[in-house]
C-alpha cells in the first residue's frame, strides 16, 4: 500500500509510520510541525519507502501518484496545546479533515480518522461505549478540540454515505510512550520528568479524577487492524485499566524510586473530565484486539526514553 499519514511527524503519526514501513508499505508523512517534530522521524531519513512533506493540511493537499490509504492524525492533541492553538485545532479538525477526505475520494483511498475519547466530554456514562453520545461543553476551553473532532466524525460519515468513501473512525483514549513531546503539558510527560528530576509530582485538583492509559504500541496494533477491517462506525481503542491521577503518580514515583512524593495544584482546566475509561467490547469483537501492555510494562518502556532524551538535551545529569 501507498499510505499518507497526516501528522506524520507527531507522536502517534511517527509510530504509525514505523509500523507501516515495517509491514512493507510506502509512507508519505505530512506535517506542518506546529506540534510535531522532525526529531520523531529523523531515523527514517533516507528510507527508500519514506517521504516527508512539510504542509499544513488545512490548505489544499496535493499528493502525486496513487494512494491506498489516508490516516488523518494531524491535530494538536494535548489540552495545553489546544488551549494555546484554538483556531489551528478547530481548523485542522474541520478544514483539514475536509481536505483529507477530498483527497481520499479523488484517489479512491481508504480513510481512517483519528478521533478521541474527548468526544465523550465529561462523561455521564462510565465506562464509555461507542454508543454513548457524550457530554461536551461546546463553548468551554476544551470545546475547540472536542467539537472539531465531533465535526470530523460527522464529515467522515458524510463522505462515506454521500460519496461512498471507505472510512474508519478510531476513538483514541489516553496514550503514552516514547516521542511524546517533553513540554506538551500532559500528565505522562510532566510526571515522568518530575520523577526523573526527583521533584514532587504535580497532581491537579485532588487527583481523584481518573484516566485509563494505553501504551502506544497497543494503539498502533488496534489502528492497523481497524484499517484492514470492514468496520465503518467508530471503535474505541484504549486500555481499560483505570487509575486516579493520584494513584498514577504513586505508580510513577515507585517505578522511578522518587522519594519526593506528590503536590496538589489548583490547575485543572475547565471541564477536565472527572472520569474516563474505554469500553472495548466492540474492539474485542470486531478486531479481536485487546491491549497487551499493562501500565507498569508500558511505563518501563517509556521512562528510559524520557531519561535519554533529557540527558541528550543536557537537562538531566
Ligand atoms: N494532570 C495532573 N498533573 C499534570 C498534568 C495533568 O494532575 O501535571 C491531570 C489533568 O488535570 C487531567 C489528567 O491529569 O485530569 C490528564 O491530563 P492530560 O493533560 O494528560 O490529558 P487529558 O486526559 O485531560 O486530555
Amino acid at each position: 500500500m501507498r499510505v499518507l499519514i497526516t501528522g506524520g511527524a507527531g507522536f502517534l503519526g511517527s509510530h504509525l509510520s514505523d509500523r507501516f514501513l515495517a509491514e512493507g508499505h510506502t509512507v508519505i508523512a505530512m506535517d506542518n510541525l506546529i506540534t510535531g517534530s522532525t526529531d520523531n522521524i529523523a531515523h527514517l531519513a533516507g528510507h527508500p519507502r519514506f517521504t516527508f512533506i512539510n504542509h499544513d493540511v488545512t490548505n489544499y493537499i496535493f499528493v502525486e501518484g496513487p494512494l491506498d490509504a489516508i490516516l488523518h492524525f494531524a491535530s494538536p492533541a494535548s489540552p495545553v496545546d489546544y488551549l494555546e492553538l484554538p483556531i489551528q485545532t478547530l481548523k485542522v479538525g474541520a478544514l483539514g479533515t475536509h481536505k483529507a477526505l477530498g483527497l481520499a475520494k479523488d484517489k479512491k483511498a481508504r480513510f481512517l480518522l483519528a478521533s478521541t475519547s474527548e468526544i465523550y466530554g465529561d462523561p455521564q456514562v462510565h465506562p464509555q461505549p461507542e454508543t454513548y453520545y457524550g457530554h461536551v461543553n461546546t463553548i468551554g476551553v476544551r470545546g475547540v478540540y472536542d467539537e472539531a473532532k465531533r465535526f470530523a466524525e460527522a464529515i467522515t460519515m458524510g463522505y462515506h454515505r454521500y460519496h461512498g468513501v471507505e472510512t474508519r473512525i478510531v476513538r483514541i483514549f489516553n496514550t503514552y510512550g516514547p516521542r511524546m513531546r517533553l513540554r506538551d503539558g500532559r500528565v505522562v510527560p510532566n510526571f515522568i520528568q518530575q520523577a526523573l528530576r526527583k521533584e514532587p509530582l504535580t497532581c491537579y485538583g485532588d487527583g481523584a479524577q481518573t484516566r485509563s492509559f494505553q501504551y502506544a504500541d497497543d494503539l498502533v496494533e488496534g489502528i492497523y487492524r481497524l484499517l484492514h477491517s470492514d468496520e465503518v462506525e467508530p471503535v474505541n481503542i484504549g486500555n481499560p485499566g483505570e487509575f486516579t491521577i493520584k494513584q498514577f503518580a504513586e505508580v510513577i514515583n515507585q517505578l522511578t524510586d522518587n522519594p519526593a512524593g506528590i503536590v496538589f495544584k489548583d490547575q485543572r482546566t475547565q471541564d477536565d473530565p472527572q472520569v474516563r475509561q474505554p469500553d472495548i467490547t466492540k474492539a474485542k469483537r470486531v478486531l479481536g484486539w485487546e491491549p497487551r501492555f499493562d501500565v507498569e510494562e508500558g511505563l518501563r518502556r517509556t521512562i528510559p526514553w524520557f531519561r535519554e532524551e533529557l540527558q541528550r538535551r543536557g537537562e538531566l545529569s
Side-chain angles (χ1 to χ4, degrees), residues 79 82 118 142 174 185-188 190-191 194 202-204 209 211 245 268 272-273 276:
Y82 53 76
E118 277 282 324
R142 298 173 83 109
N174 291 64
R186 280 190 276 193
V187 69
V188 172
N190 280 8
F191 280 5
Q194 290 159 346
T202 53
C203 264
Y204 297 165
Q209 68 271 33
R211 292 295 186 274
I245 293 301
R268 287 183 75 186
D272 183 335
R276 180 182 289 159

Side-chain angles (χ1 to χ4, degrees), residues 101-141:
L101 279 162
L103 184 67
K105 172 171 159 261
D106 191 46
K107 303 280 188 186
K108 299 187 172 32
R110 191 171 283 197
F111 178 86
L112 186 144
L113 173 69
S115 185
T116 167
S117 56
E118 277 282 324
I119 68 113
Y120 300 124
D122 188 6
Q124 295 182 316
V125 169
H126 192 65
Q128 295 79 53
E130 291 84 350
T131 47
Y132 178 48
Y133 291 165
H135 181 235
V136 171
N137 176 7
T138 55
I139 59 165
V141 291

Side-chain angles (χ1 to χ4, degrees), residues 245-260:
I245 293 301
K246 183 165 171 278
Q247 285 170 335
F248 188 61
E250 284 160 1
V251 172
I252 292 185
N253 275 338
Q254 197 199 340
L255 290 176
T256 52
D257 292 321
N258 180 20

Side-chain angles (χ1 to χ4, degrees), residues 13-34:
S14 67
H15 285 293
L16 286 165
S17 295
D18 286 344
R19 174 66 187 265
F20 279 82
L21 289 169
E23 300 282 348
H25 305 299
T26 297
V27 172
I28 303 164
M30 188 171 274
D31 206 299
N32 67 350
L33 304 175
I34 60 168

Side-chain angles (χ1 to χ4, degrees), residues 17-293:
S17 295
D18 286 344
R19 174 66 187 265
F20 279 82
L21 289 169
E23 300 282 348
H25 305 299
T26 297
V27 172
I28 303 164
M30 188 171 274
D31 206 299
N32 67 350
L33 304 175
I34 60 168
T35 58
S37 167
T38 50
D39 288 352
N40 292 333
I41 48 170
H43 62 289
L44 300 176
H47 189 295
R49 284 182 281 107
F50 181 78
T51 320
F52 172 69
I53 302 175
N54 187 330
H55 179 69
D56 175 350
V57 296
T58 65
N59 298 314
Y60 185 86
I61 307 171
F62 177 76
V63 174
E64 216 167 344
L67 282 178
D68 303 293
I70 298 174
L71 280 68
H72 183 42
F73 277 70
S75 179
S78 102
V80 170
D81 287 343
Y82 53 76
L83 264 53
E84 274 175 20
L85 304 165
I87 311 299
Q88 282 98 326
T89 302
L90 283 158
K91 281 179 72 180
V92 76
L95 308 181
T97 306
H98 181 223
K99 299 290 183 291
L101 279 162
L103 184 67
K105 172 171 159 261
D106 191 46
K107 303 280 188 186
K108 299 187 172 32
R110 191 171 283 197
F111 178 86
L112 186 144
L113 173 69
S115 185
T116 167
S117 56
E118 277 282 324
I119 68 113
Y120 300 124
D122 188 6
Q124 295 182 316
V125 169
H126 192 65
Q128 295 79 53
E130 291 84 350
T131 47
Y132 178 48
Y133 291 165
H135 181 235
V136 171
N137 176 7
T138 55
I139 59 165
V141 291
R142 298 173 83 109
V144 294
Y145 184 64
D146 305 4
E147 292 300 338
K149 289 292 188 182
R150 292 172 70 95
F151 173 87
E153 289 198 7
I155 192 171
T156 298
M157 292 308 291
Y159 266 69
H160 172 69
R161 294 195 180 108
Y162 189 75
H163 290 305
V165 175
E166 275 195 63
T167 57
R168 307 286 179 265
I169 298 173
V170 56
R171 290 189 182 148
I172 300 170
F173 284 68
N174 291 64
T175 306
Y176 66 92
R179 302 186 198 151
M180 291 188 94
R181 212 169 79 246
L182 294 181
R183 284 182 235 306
D184 85 355
R186 280 190 276 193
V187 69
V188 172
N190 280 8
F191 280 5
I192 293 180
Q193 289 176 79
Q194 290 159 346
L196 291 173
R197 296 196 174 102
K198 307 288 179 215
E199 293 166 3
L201 309 199
T202 53
C203 264
Y204 297 165
D206 60 4
Q209 68 271 33
T210 73
R211 292 295 186 274
S212 308
F213 297 95
Q214 76 179 322
Y215 185 58
D217 287 11
D218 279 331
L219 173 68
V220 167
E221 178 63 30
I223 290 168
Y224 200 79
R225 290 187 189 206
L226 177 60
L227 181 71
H228 291 93
S229 78
D230 294 327
E231 185 58 43
V232 170
E233 294 194 0
V235 181
N236 288 341
I237 298 287
N239 189 322
E242 184 186 20
F243 294 81
T244 68
I245 293 301
K246 183 165 171 278
Q247 285 170 335
F248 188 61
E250 284 160 1
V251 172
I252 292 185
N253 275 338
Q254 197 199 340
L255 290 176
T256 52
D257 292 321
N258 180 20
I262 297 172
V263 285
F264 294 91
K265 290 205 162 180
D266 193 16
Q267 241 176 271
R268 287 183 75 186
T269 56
Q270 181 195 15
D271 305 319
D272 183 335
Q274 195 52 42
V275 292
R276 180 182 289 159
Q277 183 188 32
D279 179 331
I280 58 164
T281 310
K282 184 173 179 183
K284 284 186 187 165
R285 189 181 72 243
V286 302
L287 308 177
W289 175 90
E290 60 183 330
R292 289 178 41 233
F293 296 92

